[in-house]
Amino acid sequence: MNNSVKTLTAHQLLLCACASLEAQGNLKQLSTAISKALDAGVTVNELKDAFSQLYAYTGFPRSLNALGTLQKVVNERKNKGITDNEGKPFAHPAMWEDAEQALQQGICVQTKLLGGSPFNYDFCPQNDYYLKSHLFGDIFASNQLSPSVRELITVAALSSLKGVEPQLSAHKVGAVNMGNTKEQVEELCQWLSDNGYSQVDCAADANTGNWPKGQPNDAYAQYFSGRSYLASILPANDVVGEKNLANYANVTFEPGCRNNWHIHHGAHQVLICVSGRGWYQEWGKPAIALTPGVIIDIPDEVKHWHGAQKCFWFQHLTTHIAIGDKQSNEWLEPVDDKTYNQLS
């Protein structure tokens, strides 16, 4: 890791350890983790706030069990003569008395978390309201934890639950949007994995499969919004008779990454989607959602772009089939944020 990058503090990691064990419902280990956190200076009110927030992700039973464990640990330590730091008093945000204010604040928080646009869950309006008004409004308004720490706690909890990989991937991106660095999120995931907290491979790139990620695509970085990676994929037999088979490359896009608009001259490009979720769009046409198994044959001379969806990693194999003597790529303008953020 780059030494110039600010790393996570013990305070943050111990909060995340407690969040992970809350999500697992492992109350015995949670009791020990709470004591360690309190010894290191984590306040009682910070732990209360963390466990309260997590009911939205792990359910009320686990949240209440964690709060009960916290209360038991604090009482036991008090009986031993240990005085724990309660922390600053809980404030009473005005929005708790004003549903419309909570909704508007929640929309602002959700917009920042998602990197520029709120998530409108039209299929289920009541859940859309709960997310905006209650989770990102009421809960985020509490004065104990910063938005950046809240997202680290959420990542830790989701990494400890199986079957929520899309949400984990989204909140890894959200943790960066709320003020953490990508390196800090990667550090957290590695720490959770190394210490046996995560139940899924949080340290790996969520929503990518077994295809190689390769190396940073630095040679073409100027033509991408976000980070991409490139791995060469060679056929098992590169010659059939006297005809060479096409070589493929696997391109991995981080969430939100896409290439510029571009045109292939003298060749058409084939995309074979292998993992994650992405987009493909031709100039003047609606975008097409890309999922594993989708194959796109892009004609020559067609202006287009492709990349990952906002909250998902994405991988596709790509090859170019020559149809002329001279082949070239013409790189054009980036896909503007307004166009990209309108995709859902």
Side-chain angles (χ1 to χ4, degrees):
M1 180 175 297
N2 188 333
N3 290 330
S4 66
V5 176
K6 183 179 179 181
T7 58
L8 297 175
T9 65
H11 193 106
Q12 291 169 318
L13 292 174
L14 290 169
L15 270 171
C16 289
C18 290
S20 173
L21 293 167
E22 184 272 359
Q24 296 176 41
N26 189 333
L27 301 184
K28 183 177 180 180
Q29 289 191 28
L30 177 60
S31 179
T32 301
I34 288 173
S35 290
K36 289 182 178 179
L38 293 171
D39 287 340
V42 176
T43 72
V44 175
N45 286 345
E46 285 174 327
L47 288 165
K48 286 181 182 178
D49 203 12
F51 295 151
S52 296
Q53 171 190 326
L54 289 179
Y55 99 81
Y57 298 97
T58 66
F60 259 125
R62 292 179 188 269
S63 173
L64 291 172
N65 288 343
L67 286 167
T69 301
L70 172 61
Q71 185 176 18
K72 180 180 178 181
V73 169
V74 170
N75 287 337
E76 289 175 347
R77 288 166 63 90
K78 184 177 181 180
N79 290 335
K80 294 177 181 179
I82 302 173
T83 302
D84 291 308
N85 182 4
E86 285 287 331
K88 58 187 175 183
F90 277 91
H92 189 91
M95 70 179 64
W96 287 0
E97 308 296 336
D98 187 337
E100 181 59 29
Q101 184 180 348
L103 176 61
Q104 294 306 316
Q105 179 64 22
I107 291 173
C108 291
V109 171
Q110 190 188 55
T111 299
K112 181 177 180 181
L113 190 145
L114 294 179
S117 64
F119 172 65
N120 296 314
Y121 195 30
D122 297 330
F123 177 73
C124 188
Q126 60 267 46
N127 259 34
D128 186 63
Y129 177 79
Y130 300 153
L131 283 169
K132 291 183 172 71
S133 181
H134 184 49
L135 174 56
F136 297 120
D138 291 335
I139 293 178
F140 266 69
S142 177
N143 66 328
Q144 297 298 319
L145 302 171
S146 68
S148 62
V149 171
R150 288 189 185 281
E151 279 303 293
L152 293 177
I153 289 170
T154 302
V155 168
L158 293 176
S159 75
S160 301
L161 299 172
K162 294 183 179 180
V164 295
E165 286 80 6
Q167 289 76 24
L168 172 59
S169 178
H171 279 282
K172 287 173 66 176
V173 177
V176 175
N177 292 335
M178 298 308 282
N180 301 288
T181 67
K182 291 180 180 179
E183 290 79 8
Q184 286 174 317
V185 177
E186 292 168 0
E187 178 190 354
L188 172 62
C189 288
Q190 191 63 56
W191 184 83
L192 292 168
S193 178
D194 290 345
N195 289 275
Y197 290 113
S198 54
Q199 298 297 303
V200 296
D201 192 2
C202 177
D205 299 324
N207 294 305
T208 61
N210 295 321
W211 294 88
K213 179 179 175 181
Q215 300 300 316
N217 191 14
D218 293 337
Y220 291 88
Q222 61 183 312
Y223 305 122
F224 284 72
S225 298
R227 293 191 296 183
S228 67
Y229 303 83
L230 187 65
S232 178
I233 306 294
L234 298 175
N237 295 308
D238 62 359
V239 175
V240 176
E242 297 180 355
K243 184 177 180 180
N244 290 332
L245 294 177
N247 287 333
Y248 288 80
N250 182 45
V251 184
T252 299
F253 301 80
E254 70 173 3
C257 175
R258 66 271 189 187
N259 51 32
N260 291 4
W261 292 98
H262 58 287
I263 299 171
H264 302 293
H265 300 295
H268 63 101
Q269 184 182 25
V270 177
L271 307 180
I272 304 174
C273 307
V274 294
S275 70
R277 299 185 187 183
W279 294 112
Y280 167 75
Q281 186 174 26
E282 295 181 2
W283 186 261
K285 295 183 180 181
I288 298 172
L290 303 179
T291 55
V294 172
I295 299 176
I296 301 290
D297 191 348
I298 306 168
D300 64 318
E301 308 302 327
V302 171
K303 184 176 179 179
H304 67 282
W305 69 270
H306 37 102
Q309 293 188 18
K310 183 178 296 184
C311 294
F312 294 88
W313 287 80
F314 175 62
Q315 292 181 313
H316 66 54
L317 303 183
T318 180
T319 191
H320 294 80
I321 309 298
I323 59 173
D325 293 334
K326 294 182 179 180
Q327 297 85 44
S328 64
N329 290 342
E330 181 182 357
W331 290 101
L332 304 168
E333 72 275 15
V335 179
D336 64 273
D337 289 339
K338 181 179 180 181
T339 298
Y340 180 79
N341 289 331
Q342 286 176 343
L343 301 176
S344 62

